[in-house]
Amino acid sequence: MKKVINTYAAPAAIGPYSQAIQVGNLVYTSGQIPIDPATGSFVDGGIKEQTFQVLSNVQAILVEAGLDMSNVIKTTVFMADMNDFAAMNEVYAHFFLEPYPARSAVAVKTLPKGALVEIEVVAVKY
């Protein structure tokens, strides 16, 4: 049985999808972009500020599910420009401790609303 995870501490879905879905002991988040849930607008700044907001949004969704970032087992990072990888990775490293989750990082032509980064995760309840 699937359970919808939803929190006002992360941006509302901007389409026909859920912030996250829990199935059994797994939680799958939708891709998060750098929208500040308090303002509904993109955060000011570049890739570092956007990555921080994206991962803060992911963290808020996980908290709603009773989890934290240590429960993340897989991330997928989508970037508008792979030249931003090192700067994104610098911020990313502050959200995760060893053992790090598995990760894929890909460059895409465009992201929703012109975002520089979008991240989705899979987390497990132990």
Side-chain angles (χ1 to χ4, degrees):
M1 185 162 147
K2 67 182 179 180
K3 175 184 174 186
V4 174
I5 307 297
N6 188 51
T7 178
Y8 293 111
I14 55 175
Y17 61 90
S18 300
Q19 288 176 331
I21 295 290
Q22 180 178 338
V23 178
N25 65 338
L26 295 174
V27 174
Y28 301 85
T29 70
S30 291
Q32 295 299 301
I33 58 176
I35 294 175
D36 179 339
T39 65
S41 299
F42 268 33
V43 295
D44 291 332
I47 189 67
K48 287 184 177 184
E49 293 81 6
Q50 287 197 15
T51 301
F52 184 86
Q53 185 62 56
V54 165
L55 289 170
S56 295
N57 294 343
V58 167
Q59 192 170 41
I61 293 167
L62 293 175
V63 166
E64 183 67 22
L67 304 174
D68 61 37
M69 298 300 264
S70 71
N71 295 97
V72 175
I73 57 173
K74 172 71 169 81
T75 68
T76 306
V77 179
F78 304 95
M79 290 180 294
D81 184 348
M82 196 55 81
N83 290 319
D84 288 335
F85 182 83
M88 177 282 300
N89 204 45
E90 184 180 324
V91 175
Y92 180 100
H94 291 286
F95 281 83
F96 297 101
L97 301 173
E98 291 187 43
Y100 301 115
R103 178 176 75 182
S104 300
V106 296
V108 296
K109 186 173 180 177
T110 57
L111 289 169
K113 298 188 172 274
L116 299 176
V117 63
E118 178 176 6
I119 301 174
E120 64 184 23
V121 307
V122 178
V124 64
K125 284 190 171 193
Y126 299 107

